Amino acid sequence: QVQLVESGGGLVQPGGSLRLSCAASQSIFSFSSMAWYRQAPGKERELVARTGKPGTTDYTDYLDSVKGRFTISGDNVKKTMYLQMNRLKPEDTATYFCNGRSSSTGITYWGQGTQVTVSS
């Protein structure tokens, strides 16, 4: 069973930074794509960042409001995907989820989420 476990969330002041991690139970090269989503209370889940080639900086795509502030990356040795978030804003407050689509089965797996709160 494929597992994805997020960590790194927390409370940060506006303008601060956080790095979220998504630890996979298997090589991130086994995923055809991986992504970060977020969901704020009362809002729909939205795509924040996506990579079509996990472990590289190729084929990345970002939500317009986070471009230039967030960076998706991966380390296959650690089997982990990251989301570096800089210059955080209160509107970035949400639960952040990672997902990965298996190259072999096409099944998309989700983590349980990690809470990010941006507040002074």
Side-chain angles (χ1 to χ4, degrees):
Q1 178 71 12
V2 176
Q3 291 187 321
L4 298 173
V5 180
E6 302 96 334
S7 62
L11 173 65
V12 63
Q13 292 187 343
S17 297
L18 282 176
R19 188 177 77 160
L20 305 184
S21 299
C22 173
S25 57
Q26 61 189 49
S27 169
I28 61 173
F29 290 165
S30 69
F31 297 101
S32 58
S33 66
M34 296 188 78
W36 287 96
Y37 284 74
R38 70 185 180 188
Q39 187 167 20
K43 295 187 177 181
E44 293 187 354
R45 189 172 296 192
E46 62 180 356
L47 176 65
V48 176
R50 175 176 51 201
T51 173
K53 197 170 185 179
T56 75
T57 55
D58 296 336
Y59 308 111
T60 57
D61 189 26
Y62 296 91
L63 182 68
D64 283 347
S65 62
V66 309
K67 284 180 181 177
R69 300 189 297 123
F70 290 11
T71 303
I72 188 171
S73 64
D75 183 336
N76 191 51
V77 173
K78 296 181 178 179
K79 297 188 289 185
T80 300
M81 180 180 66
Y82 302 100
L83 184 68
Q84 178 66 44
M85 307 186 295
N86 299 326
R87 303 198 307 276
L88 283 159
K89 303 176 180 181
E91 52 264 42
D92 295 319
T93 295
T95 301
Y96 284 71
F97 300 88
C98 69
N99 82 9
R101 185 175 187 274
S102 169
S103 298
S104 59
T105 65
I107 296 173
T108 298
Y109 298 91
W110 290 86
Q112 83 290 348
T114 185
Q115 177 66 37
V116 171
T117 303
V118 185
S119 174
S120 55

